[in-house]
Amino acid sequence: MLLSLREAGGPLYRRVYLALKAKIRAGGLGPAARVPSTRALARDLGVSRNTVMLAYEQLAAEGYLVSRHRGATSVAGGAPPRPAPAPARPAVERPAPISAYARRLTARLDLRPSRPPGPRPALRYDFRYGRPAVDEFPREIWRRLLAAHARRASSDALGYGSPAGHGPMRAALSDPERIVVVNGTQQALDLIARVLLDPGDGAVVEEPHYPGATIPFEAVGARLLRVPVDADGLDPARLPPAVERPRLAYVTPCHQFPSGVIMPLGRRRALLQWASRVGAWVVEDDYVSEFRYEGHPLEALQSLDRDERAIYMGSFSKTLFPALRVGYLVLPRALVRPFLAAKWAADRFSAPLYQEALAELVTSGQFERYLRRAGARNAGRRRALIGALRESFGSRVEIAGENTGVHLVVWLNDVRPRELDALIARAARVGVGIYPVAPYYAEPTRCAGLLFGYAALTEEQIRAGVRRLAELL
Amino acid sequence: MLLSLREAGGPLYRRVYLALKAKIRAGGLGPAARVPSTRALARDLGVSRNTVMLAYEQLAAEGYLVSRHRGATSVAGGAPPRPAPAPARPAVERPAPISAYARRLTARLDLRPSRPPGPRPALRYDFRYGRPAVDEFPREIWRRLLAAHARRASSDALGYGSPAGHGPMRAALSDPERIVVVNGTQQALDLIARVLLDPGDGAVVEEPHYPGATIPFEAVGARLLRVPVDADGLDPARLPPAVERPRLAYVTPCHQFPSGVIMPLGRRRALLQWASRVGAWVVEDDYVSEFRYEGHPLEALQSLDRDERAIYMGSFSKTLFPALRVGYLVLPRALVRPFLAAKWAADRFSAPLYQEALAELVTSGQFERYLRRAGARNAGRRRALIGALRESFGSRVEIAGENTGVHLVVWLNDVRPRELDALIARAARVGVGIYPVAPYYAEPTRCAGLLFGYAALTEEQIRAGVRRLAELL
């Protein structure tokens, strides 16, 4: 398809979007005409596939394009959308219906009310990342804690709480005056985006990356400064200079998400030195350091941090379960007050009942014991998954990120990325849930990669699931 | 104090702030010198007291001023803060430590980690607004619902949920595809601010106003367009024209907060017509319509709304208790997708356990029965409060907002606003908690006003509390 991007300015995806829209409106692409695949158009234009996907999403949101089955996309049937007819009322310039924030956000995240990301089709062997290990969870202990705290709740406990979070919960975690309890990692990232980033600021992110961070950063108008990850995590030598105005760097040193590599001490120190030099904050998402299977846990950035530039993010989503919605920030002293105000403005305070139960779980030692059991169990599941993959696939797969956490990345050396959707669909038909790593990469990957969550499956289920998968390949 | 505002530009509060800072730095006000009260300086400069308060807050945040007891403010002891010494490292322009959003927010909301708004000193008769009626709450039913749902939680219920909220909860409320469940009214207001307002946009608010709305609106950079409230609520004749770019109007028609007046149907229709004419959204905060004691409940704006311009906000904080942190938005169809995306980016989804229990409470009819009991109880408490105030104070008080809700506004005709702090302190010493309405007014009020919450006190406590108060006056 002939498409010229020369005239238009602005971000690349917007230029693609404007050029395509102009072509459709001029009749160069008629109703129901099939448009090229995002991959083909990206190749033709010499841009990334993500760029084309964003442009297509925007056009679909505006009714110019419709998705057909198996990922094909066509020009919407009927006449292309026309400008609205002139209003009968006195002409008034109608403001844009949503804010610039919301436009940037929805260009990257399109959630539809008709298809809520709810229960998936029944998958007997579901390797979805983030599924809680519901059978091993100390459900009875937890239920008793909740019921006890619900019974004895005082008027204060049922009233308005502190934006910092439940006091005993903060005390159970660490330095309570530097902690703000949040509704899970996502709220931590959103508050960080809002309190620290202005439109046009640079935000360093790892590549591959966690979209839960990049989406709010871009939505507040920040420029992503992507730094590639190698076998030791983010490479400090490739961090941007001060002239690019990096305001923060978001990293997952405990188990880079999704690649799984661990950042060694030297790089942690170098990252903090860079932050002090350029005046940036370092955000450490410590989402899964509790499960480390080989070697010793490394010091958190915050404990190496002399200049109070490190922000620590903790979560119970991977150790207990995501529906808890409890995470926390340990902040440099200079940031406590702005974060308290931002948390107040965002939702006043987090519901205290879960925090009360959690505080008791932690201070009674039960959480520690549970973590030890869960760690041993996860180590067995990790071994079972690696063993099964080696046995079934041998050198046809490459396994990454095996030392920590609750997931592995598996590269299928002889599967091309464009063949993956079909493979995922075939696996689902035999009851195996597998998930691509592609959403965590800004650019297409050379071969197909899968992200295997293993914490919620027994060793037997893991082996059976991998066997079924091997039969398909 | 001599202070000239001529030279400086920018918002008025900033000009006051810059002028004062210059004076302090030049030595015109030495360490420990007491600065004028906000009221006196506001009068001298011919600006509002809020303007001076914002300027003082900014100076306090920067260490130039310190608060003394009883609201007095002085120049900070020791030398005034000096510019930081030149860094030893190569000079780098350090970015501002927090975003423009956070600076606007903290200028209005200064929360300190050392003084969390936690439990108050023991007050035997605490008329604080928003205190839950903890003794009458069906605690045992609630505890059983929570324990049952915690026991039977499936892997899906413990995993990642939909940003729209728990399906059965949405179905129990109304049209589930237009609902987004949020963490209470505050998150609803924050999402509205972010999705609908750009810096410089106009946001219509009632005067007197609810700071939980004005703070997030101003923090995203909106200009507040204050419309005065009379005996019928916000006056549509005084709504701003399109040229002032009003993007939304936030109203509390069920029981204007804090004045308590109810907006009649004619004004509700006129407000919607204005919204269609100027292209604005109307945000209806229906925080307490469940408790109406005289006359019939009026139709919600959303049910009068033909152009899908009305956003409805519901909450369980006043009917059940604030620590639930469950509220919901019923959205115009055009706004569902941006709000789903904003909720996802803000914190993915609200914890489902409370929603599961609430859905069962509602669909089983137990919530309806509880509301009837609570309504009858609140009506009795309202009568007791009005009767006690009339008996003790006669025509020395004016009572407003008595038909609905869980609070009254009481104007003390013979108490001047500046005498109120001392009265509140004296009341606290005899165990009576009373609270000023001043924080809900942009400008000083002519006489002293108090906001009485009565839902959490028995009729006997109410009468005893008012008697003690009368002894002080």
Side-chain angles (χ1 to χ4, degrees):
Chain A
M1 182 170 53
L2 278 170
L3 204 63
S4 164
L5 302 183
R6 274 171 318 204
E7 317 83 297
L12 204 50
Y13 92 89
R14 193 169 159 75
R15 286 155 67 187
V16 176
Y17 149 79
L18 287 173
L20 257 171
K21 185 160 84 168
K23 199 172 174 95
I24 295 169
R25 295 188 122 195
L29 278 167
R34 186 159 165 178
V35 296
S37 73
T38 50
R39 191 176 310 278
L41 185 57
R43 198 183 46 225
D44 287 352
L45 297 174
V47 300
S48 84
R49 195 177 161 208
N50 259 23
T51 299
V52 176
M53 279 163 61
L54 274 179
Y56 278 22
E57 277 167 22
Q58 184 67 28
L59 289 163
E62 296 180 6
Y64 286 96
L65 295 182
V66 288
S67 293
R68 305 274 175 227
H69 67 107
R70 308 193 64 171
T73 305
S74 310
V75 175
R82 286 166 306 163
R89 299 199 186 87
V92 154
E93 199 193 321
R94 290 208 165 215
I98 57 173
S99 65
Y101 168 84
R103 288 197 301 278
R104 286 187 297 254
L105 177 63
T106 50
R108 285 163 185 87
L109 183 69
D110 184 14
L111 301 172
R112 288 144 202 264
S114 44
R115 285 188 305 173
R120 270 74 171 178
L123 294 169
R124 192 154 169 199
Y125 311 104
D126 191 354
F127 290 99
R128 181 152 47 91
Y129 171 71
R131 276 183 75 214
V134 64
D135 296 323
E136 289 81 6
F137 169 69
R139 188 186 290 264
E140 189 50 30
I141 293 174
W142 183 245
R143 193 193 60 74
R144 262 186 282 134
L145 284 173
L146 288 181
H149 285 278
R151 185 186 295 122
R152 74 171 90 113
S154 65
S155 172
D156 273 329
L158 297 178
Y160 287 95
S162 163
H166 181 57
M169 162 85 178
R170 287 184 283 134
L173 292 171
S174 77
D175 187 356
E177 295 212 345
R178 294 174 60 188
I179 288 184
V180 175
V181 175
V182 292
N183 309 326
T185 290
Q186 193 60 44
Q187 187 172 51
L189 289 165
D190 191 47
L191 295 181
I192 285 165
R194 299 169 75 182
V195 171
L196 301 181
L197 294 173
D198 278 316
D201 280 344
V204 170
V205 294
E206 300 165 323
E207 176 54 30
H209 63 279
Y210 177 54
T214 56
I215 288 172
F217 293 174
E218 288 195 279
V220 297
R223 287 170 297 117
L224 296 186
L225 304 170
R226 299 185 194 271
V227 174
V229 163
D230 62 22
D232 284 336
L234 176 142
D235 182 358
R238 299 181 69 170
L239 282 163
V243 70
E244 292 201 42
R245 288 191 294 120
R247 191 92 161 253
L248 62 80
Y250 165 77
V251 291
T252 48
C254 66
H255 189 244
Q256 200 274 330
F257 191 88
S259 74
V261 297
I262 297 169
M263 187 187 281
L265 264 182
R267 283 200 174 179
R268 292 177 191 225
R269 290 211 182 88
L271 175 59
L272 287 167
Q273 280 158 10
W274 166 85
S276 293
R277 204 167 58 237
V278 302
W281 304 101
V282 176
V283 179
E284 172 176 27
D285 185 352
D286 194 39
Y287 68 108
V288 76
S289 64
E290 294 85 353
F291 298 134
R292 165 125 199 185
Y293 312 116
E294 283 160 30
H296 293 290
L298 294 175
E299 279 182 279
L301 285 165
Q302 207 166 51
S303 63
L304 303 168
D305 176 29
R306 291 186 198 159
D307 282 2
E308 296 228 6
R309 305 222 64 92
I311 298 168
Y312 178 93
M313 289 170 49
S315 160
F316 293 92
S317 291
K318 300 300 171 286
T319 48
L320 290 168
F321 56 91
L324 257 184
R325 304 280 78 213
V326 179
Y328 58 98
L329 285 162
V330 188
L331 294 159
R333 266 166 276 265
L335 292 181
V336 173
R337 280 158 70 173
F339 273 85
L340 283 176
K343 171 66 182 172
W344 189 98
D347 60 5
R348 293 286 286 266
F349 65 106
S350 291
L353 181 65
Y354 276 158
Q355 297 177 61
E356 292 165 5
L358 262 177
E360 194 172 332
L361 200 69
V362 171
T363 51
S364 67
Q366 291 177 102
F367 184 62
E368 188 69 34
R369 285 197 295 279
Y370 163 72
L371 276 187
R372 272 201 299 274
R373 284 198 310 275
R377 194 182 66 220
N378 286 343
R381 290 172 180 188
R382 171 189 71 116
R383 277 192 307 270
L385 178 58
I386 294 171
L389 288 167
R390 287 263 164 267
E391 193 184 309
S392 294
F393 297 98
S395 63
R396 291 161 64 207
V397 298
E398 231 166 84
I399 301 171
E402 65 257 54
N403 290 333
T404 322
V406 291
H407 79 269
L408 294 178
V409 171
V410 178
W411 296 99
L412 309 173
N413 292 332
D414 49 6
V415 177
R416 270 174 287 188
R418 69 155 189 268
E419 299 166 337
L420 195 57
D421 281 356
L423 177 64
I424 289 170
R426 280 160 59 212
R429 282 195 291 274
V430 297
V432 182
I434 51 174
Y435 301 88
V437 295
Y440 312 110
Y441 281 79
E443 299 290 332
T445 55
R446 264 168 311 167
C447 62
L450 294 171
L451 195 141
F452 276 82
Y454 53 78
L457 296 172
T458 64
E459 295 182 25
E460 198 34 67
Q461 287 171 325
I462 287 168
R463 280 187 284 264
V466 172
R467 264 197 309 273
R468 290 210 181 185
L469 200 58
E471 288 160 17
L472 294 180
L473 273 163
Chain B
M1 182 169 55
L2 279 170
L3 205 63
S4 165
L5 303 183
R6 273 170 320 204
E7 317 82 298
L12 203 51
Y13 92 89
R14 194 169 159 75
R15 286 154 67 189
V16 177
Y17 149 80
L18 287 172
L20 259 170
K21 186 160 84 170
K23 200 172 174 92
I24 295 169
R25 296 187 123 197
L29 278 167
R34 186 158 165 178
V35 297
S37 73
T38 50
R39 191 178 309 280
L41 185 57
R43 198 184 45 226
D44 287 352
L45 297 174
V47 301
S48 83
R49 195 177 160 207
N50 259 24
T51 299
V52 177
M53 280 162 63
L54 274 179
Y56 278 21
E57 277 165 24
Q58 183 67 27
L59 288 163
E62 295 180 7
Y64 287 96
L65 295 182
V66 288
S67 292
R68 304 273 175 228
H69 68 107
R70 308 192 64 174
T73 304
S74 310
V75 176
R82 286 166 306 163
R89 300 200 186 86
V92 154
E93 199 192 320
R94 290 209 166 213
I98 58 172
S99 66
Y101 168 84
R103 288 197 302 276
R104 287 187 297 255
L105 177 63
T106 49
R108 285 163 186 87
L109 184 69
D110 184 14
L111 302 171
R112 288 144 202 263
S114 44
R115 286 189 305 172
R120 269 75 172 178
L123 293 169
R124 191 154 170 200
Y125 311 104
D126 191 355
F127 290 99
R128 181 153 46 92
Y129 170 72
R131 275 184 74 215
V134 64
D135 296 322
E136 288 80 7
F137 170 69
R139 187 186 291 263
E140 188 50 31
I141 294 174
W142 183 246
R143 193 193 60 75
R144 262 187 282 133
L145 285 172
L146 288 180
H149 285 278
R151 185 187 296 121
R152 73 171 92 113
S154 66
S155 171
D156 272 329
L158 297 178
Y160 287 95
S162 163
H166 181 57
M169 163 85 178
R170 287 185 282 134
L173 292 171
S174 77
D175 187 357
E177 296 212 342
R178 294 173 60 189
I179 289 184
V180 175
V181 176
V182 292
N183 309 327
T185 290
Q186 193 59 43
Q187 188 172 49
L189 289 165
D190 190 49
L191 294 181
I192 285 165
R194 299 169 76 183
V195 171
L196 301 181
L197 295 171
D198 279 317
D201 280 344
V204 170
V205 295
E206 300 164 323
E207 177 54 30
H209 64 279
Y210 177 54
T214 55
I215 288 172
F217 293 173
E218 289 195 279
V220 298
R223 286 171 298 117
L224 296 186
L225 303 169
R226 300 186 194 270
V227 175
V229 163
D230 62 22
D232 284 336
L234 176 142
D235 183 359
R238 301 182 67 171
L239 281 163
V243 68
E244 293 201 43
R245 287 192 292 120
R247 190 93 163 251
L248 62 80
Y250 165 77
V251 290
T252 49
C254 65
H255 189 243
Q256 199 274 330
F257 191 88
S259 76
V261 297
I262 297 169
M263 188 187 281
L265 265 182
R267 284 200 173 178
R268 291 177 191 225
R269 291 209 182 87
L271 176 59
L272 287 167
Q273 281 158 10
W274 167 85
S276 293
R277 205 166 58 237
V278 303
W281 303 102
V282 177
V283 179
E284 174 177 25
D285 185 351
D286 195 40
Y287 68 107
V288 76
S289 65
E290 295 85 353
F291 298 133
R292 165 125 199 183
Y293 312 115
E294 282 161 31
H296 295 290
L298 295 175
E299 280 181 278
L301 285 165
Q302 206 166 51
S303 63
L304 302 167
D305 175 29
R306 291 186 197 159
D307 282 2
E308 296 226 5
R309 304 221 65 90
I311 298 168
Y312 178 94
M313 288 170 51
S315 160
F316 292 91
S317 291
K318 298 300 169 291
T319 49
L320 291 169
F321 56 91
L324 258 183
R325 303 281 78 212
V326 178
Y328 58 99
L329 286 161
V330 188
L331 294 159
R333 266 166 276 265
L335 292 181
V336 173
R337 280 158 68 174
F339 274 85
L340 283 176
K343 172 66 181 170
W344 189 99
D347 59 6
R348 291 288 283 267
F349 64 106
S350 290
L353 181 66
Y354 275 158
Q355 297 178 60
E356 292 165 6
L358 262 177
E360 194 172 331
L361 199 69
V362 171
T363 53
S364 68
Q366 291 178 101
F367 184 61
E368 188 69 34
R369 285 196 295 279
Y370 163 71
L371 276 188
R372 272 201 299 272
R373 283 197 311 276
R377 194 181 66 220
N378 286 343
R381 290 171 180 189
R382 171 189 70 115
R383 276 192 307 270
L385 178 58
I386 294 171
L389 288 166
R390 287 263 163 268
E391 194 184 307
S392 294
F393 297 97
S395 64
R396 291 162 63 207
V397 298
E398 229 166 85
I399 301 172
E402 66 258 51
N403 290 331
T404 321
V406 291
H407 79 269
L408 295 177
V409 172
V410 178
W411 295 101
L412 308 173
N413 293 331
D414 49 6
V415 177
R416 270 174 286 189
R418 69 157 188 266
E419 300 166 337
L420 195 57
D421 281 356
L423 178 64
I424 290 170
R426 280 160 58 212
R429 282 195 291 274
V430 297
V432 182
I434 51 174
Y435 300 87
V437 295
Y440 312 111
Y441 282 79
E443 299 290 333
T445 56
R446 263 168 312 166
C447 61
L450 294 171
L451 196 141
F452 276 82
Y454 53 79
L457 296 173
T458 65
E459 296 181 24
E460 199 33 67
Q461 287 172 324
I462 287 169
R463 279 187 285 264
V466 171
R467 263 197 310 273
R468 289 209 181 186
L469 200 58
E471 288 161 17
L472 295 180
L473 272 164

